[in-house]
């Protein structure tokens, strides 16, 4: 049965930008009055414009400007820093003074515990499409970025060729404000994501019109990998525990069931983490969007196998309705109960990965066998309380404490159907 797809960055390591809209007779910084350094970063620079002769002073011994004074005009000052080996971040101020005006630049250097995760270096994905080549159902995404290469808008379009339905189009706008990321949609949903010092999501609150909020809390292990996701609210309460091996999420346990993940041998280097989009298995929780935006700590090291479109038509295992009380001579009788299920054998899929001249992923195609399997299982009526006294009706003994005990299903026949073919394409 097909599912409808509804999707549930780190700041640059060098600068926290923002324009200083001050009058022309003031000192103005070209990229805002805050500068951020990594813990291991030892050099940086900033540019400012002064209306007249100026002098500057730094209040920290770990930060040294290469110029202390100058004339009016635009100047770039180089900075030399020592690496910060402490766990916490530290700050310094650089005061610039003219005869009639002054301004202050705030410099923050992360500590070892606050170090943001590195950004992926691949080209920016402009569009992405996942298509079921059988019925033509397609999910397409178009991305827009800011000057820090962060996703600020994407449009999700779902089309249904086979059913001749109108396309479903969903728009998401992403705003970054310090440790908050806000995602507004055009379908009356809003998500507010709280980040820790390393730019990882630790909480997401979903606001839905006409319904109470849903809050998802996220925790990480000592390796910086997502470990647990807990959802609380009115719509879906659950806990997911993630298991990692060799740098990849290999399974998750959601309350009462387990989900396994499969990967290719190809490194996951795209600028957004497409793993959260291309595998149906990642949709068990609420973090698809957050993971895609690189806000869930370290990503899996390899591309997940493409298996986005669900393609299972499961017939529930049949039961045997018995009316209680059951006559004594029916205790121990059995029935054979047949049933059929159709499923995609994703563990048997074959995949092809294509890359451009720069080594960026351009296409994944997969083909998975589809089987219709016939089963039988046996149901037997048994007593559950051997000490129950019989109820006598018309001279015959009856029992209330009974149940149907089922055997394990046995496969009786298997048909091979048309394979499930899916294709992902990326444009840059």
């Amino acid at each position: 049965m097909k599912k409808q797809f509804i999707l549930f960055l780190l700041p640059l390591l060098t600068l926290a930008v923002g324009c200083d809209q001050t009058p022309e007779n003031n000192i103005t910084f070209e990229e805002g009055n805050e500068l951020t350094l990594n813990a291991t970063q030892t050099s940086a620079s900033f540019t400012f414009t002064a209306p007249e002769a100026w002098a500057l002073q730094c209040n920290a011994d770990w930060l040294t400007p290469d110029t202390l004074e100058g004339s009016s005009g635009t100047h770039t000052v180089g900075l030399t820093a020592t690496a910060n080996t402490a766990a916490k971040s530290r700050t310094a101020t650089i005061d610039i003074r003219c005869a009639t005006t002054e301004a202050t630049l705030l410099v923050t250097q992360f500590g070892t515990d606050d170090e943001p995760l590195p950004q992926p270096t691949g080209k920016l994905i402009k569009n992405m499409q996942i298509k079921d080549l059988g019925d033509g159902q397609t999910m397409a995404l178009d991305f827009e970025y800011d000057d820090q290469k962060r996703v600020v808008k994407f449009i999700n379009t779902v089309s249904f060729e086979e059913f001749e339905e109108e396309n479903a189009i969903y728009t998401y706008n992403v705003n970054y404000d310090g440790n908050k990321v806000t995602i507004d949609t055009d379908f009356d949903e809003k998500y507010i994501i709280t980040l820790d010092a390393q730019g990882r999501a630790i909480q997401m609150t979903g606001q839905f019109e006409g319904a109470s909020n849903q809050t998802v809390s996220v925790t990480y292990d000592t390796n910086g990998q997502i470990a647990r996701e807990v959802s609380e609210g009115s719509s879906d309460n659950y806990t997911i525990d993630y298991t990692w091996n060799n740098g990849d999420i290999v399974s998750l346990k959601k309350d009462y069931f387990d989900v396994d993940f499969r990967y290719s041998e190809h490194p996951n280097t795209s600028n957004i983490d497409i793993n959260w989009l291309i595998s149906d298995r990642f949709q068990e929780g609420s973090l698809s969007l957050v993971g895609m935006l690189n806000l869930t700590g370290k990503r899996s090291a390899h591309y997940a196998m493409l298996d986005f479109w669900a393609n299972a038509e499961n017939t529930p295992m049949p039961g045997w309705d018995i009316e209680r009380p059951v006559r004594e001579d029916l205790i121990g009788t059995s029935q054979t109960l047949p049933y059929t299920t159709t499923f995609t054998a994703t563990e048997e899929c074959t995949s092809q990965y294509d890359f451009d001249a720069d080594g960026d992923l351009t296409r994944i195609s997969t083909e998975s066998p589809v089987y219709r399997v016939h089963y039988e299982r046996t149901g037997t009526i048994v007593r559950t309380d051997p000490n129950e006294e019989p109820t006598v009706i018309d001279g015959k003994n009856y029992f209330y404490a009974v149940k149907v005990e089922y055997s394990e299903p046995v496969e009786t026949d298997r048909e091979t159907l048309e394979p499930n073919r899916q294709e992902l394409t990326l444009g840059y």
Side-chain angles (χ1 to χ4, degrees):
M1 182 175 180
K2 290 296 179 65
K3 67 177 184 304
Q4 183 178 2
F5 181 80
I6 304 288
L7 281 174
F8 228 65
L9 289 164
L10 302 174
L12 279 182
L13 304 183
T14 53
L15 293 175
V17 301
C19 240
D20 190 342
Q21 304 294 335
T22 54
E24 291 185 0
N25 62 341
N26 284 351
I27 298 170
T28 58
F29 295 100
E30 184 175 280
E31 295 183 298
N33 60 353
E34 294 185 9
L35 176 64
T36 304
L37 311 180
N38 293 336
T40 57
Q41 187 173 346
T42 57
S43 63
S45 64
F46 66 94
T47 300
F48 69 97
T49 299
E52 50 192 332
W54 55 271
L56 67 77
Q57 183 177 5
C58 179
N59 72 343
D61 57 7
W62 56 267
L63 187 66
T64 304
D66 66 2
T67 305
L68 297 179
E69 59 184 15
S71 59
S72 63
T74 299
H75 301 268
T76 297
V77 176
L79 299 172
T80 300
T82 59
N84 186 7
T85 58
K88 300 302 180 182
S89 60
R90 59 188 178 183
T91 60
T93 57
I94 295 177
D95 296 317
I96 305 176
R97 293 184 176 86
C98 297
T100 59
T101 186
E102 63 182 66
T104 299
L105 177 73
L106 176 65
V107 182
T108 300
Q109 186 178 38
F110 288 116
T112 55
D113 284 353
D114 300 327
E115 188 77 71
L117 298 172
Q119 284 287 73
T121 57
K123 297 194 296 290
L124 300 183
I125 297 173
K126 291 184 178 179
N127 51 70
M128 170 180 171
Q129 177 179 277
I130 301 175
K131 186 170 186 176
D132 186 319
L133 298 181
D135 62 18
Q137 188 166 349
T138 302
M139 188 276 290
L141 288 167
D142 295 284
F143 298 96
E144 296 180 13
Y145 299 88
D146 63 11
D147 57 3
Q148 296 187 49
K149 300 181 180 180
R150 303 176 300 189
V151 175
V152 292
K153 180 179 181 179
F154 59 96
I155 299 174
N156 174 28
T157 303
V158 183
S159 60
F160 311 88
E161 283 184 15
E162 183 182 31
F163 307 106
E164 297 183 353
E165 299 180 27
E166 291 186 6
N167 292 348
I169 303 175
Y170 311 95
T171 301
Y172 300 76
N173 292 291
V174 187
N175 178 67
Y176 303 86
D177 183 13
N179 72 329
K180 298 288 185 183
V181 178
T182 303
I183 303 171
D184 293 292
T185 73
D186 62 351
F187 48 93
D188 299 322
E189 292 185 6
K190 181 177 183 177
Y191 302 94
I192 301 173
I193 303 162
T194 303
L195 309 179
D196 64 10
Q198 293 181 273
R200 303 175 303 189
I202 53 176
Q203 186 178 85
M204 179 181 75
T205 300
Q207 299 177 354
F208 315 104
E209 185 163 324
S212 60
N213 294 347
Q214 191 78 16
T215 298
V216 179
S217 301
V218 189
T219 55
Y220 301 86
D221 61 22
T222 55
N223 295 319
Q225 301 165 330
I226 185 170
R228 172 169 286 190
E229 170 186 349
V230 179
S231 178
E232 297 177 305
S234 61
S235 62
D236 191 12
N237 296 330
Y238 63 82
T239 297
I240 290 178
D241 290 304
Y242 292 88
T243 300
W244 291 72
N245 187 38
N246 294 327
D248 292 318
I249 298 174
V250 294
S251 66
L252 64 80
K253 182 178 180 61
K254 183 177 182 181
D255 294 336
Y256 53 86
F257 66 91
D258 297 322
V259 177
D260 295 324
F261 295 85
R262 299 172 303 111
Y263 294 87
S264 72
E265 73 277 15
H266 301 289
N268 176 14
T269 58
S270 58
N271 71 292
I272 61 173
D273 191 356
I274 66 172
N275 278 350
W276 291 90
L277 305 178
I278 67 178
S279 174
D280 177 64
R281 291 163 168 79
F282 279 94
Q283 309 301 319
E284 296 296 342
S286 301
L287 296 178
S288 297
L289 172 57
V290 182
M292 178 195 77
L293 295 176
N294 297 315
L295 299 178
T296 53
K298 292 181 180 178
R299 57 165 71 184
S300 289
H302 302 91
Y303 285 121
M305 302 293 280
L306 174 63
D307 58 354
F308 176 77
W309 297 114
N311 189 19
E313 298 175 2
N314 294 318
T315 302
M317 288 191 291
W320 182 2
D321 295 327
I322 58 175
E323 294 185 8
R324 294 172 177 80
V326 173
R327 202 171 64 236
E328 185 175 28
D329 63 313
L330 296 178
I331 304 296
T333 60
S334 300
Q335 281 190 11
T336 298
L337 307 168
Y339 68 99
T340 301
T341 184
T342 300
F343 69 93
T344 301
T346 53
E347 69 280 359
E348 299 178 27
C349 81
T350 57
S351 299
Q352 178 177 331
Y353 292 74
D354 297 324
F355 301 86
D356 63 17
D358 297 320
D360 291 309
L361 181 69
T362 58
R363 180 175 176 269
I364 304 174
S365 59
T366 63
E367 180 174 308
S368 302
V370 178
Y371 300 111
R372 180 180 293 128
V373 183
H374 303 274
Y375 295 93
E376 287 182 351
R377 69 173 180 166
T378 300
T380 303
I381 301 176
V382 298
R383 291 177 59 186
T384 60
D385 182 3
N387 298 317
E388 180 189 11
E389 293 294 330
T391 299
V392 180
I393 303 174
D394 295 332
K396 296 182 179 180
N397 292 335
Y398 286 78
F399 295 92
Y400 284 93
V402 297
K403 70 175 183 178
V404 178
E405 197 170 73
Y406 297 101
S407 67
E408 289 295 318
V410 176
E411 182 177 330
T412 59
D413 190 28
R414 177 177 293 228
E415 305 168 61
T416 301
L417 307 180
E418 281 294 315
N420 179 30
R421 298 184 178 91
Q422 300 184 37
E423 180 182 71
L424 172 141
T425 54
L426 294 172
Y428 297 92

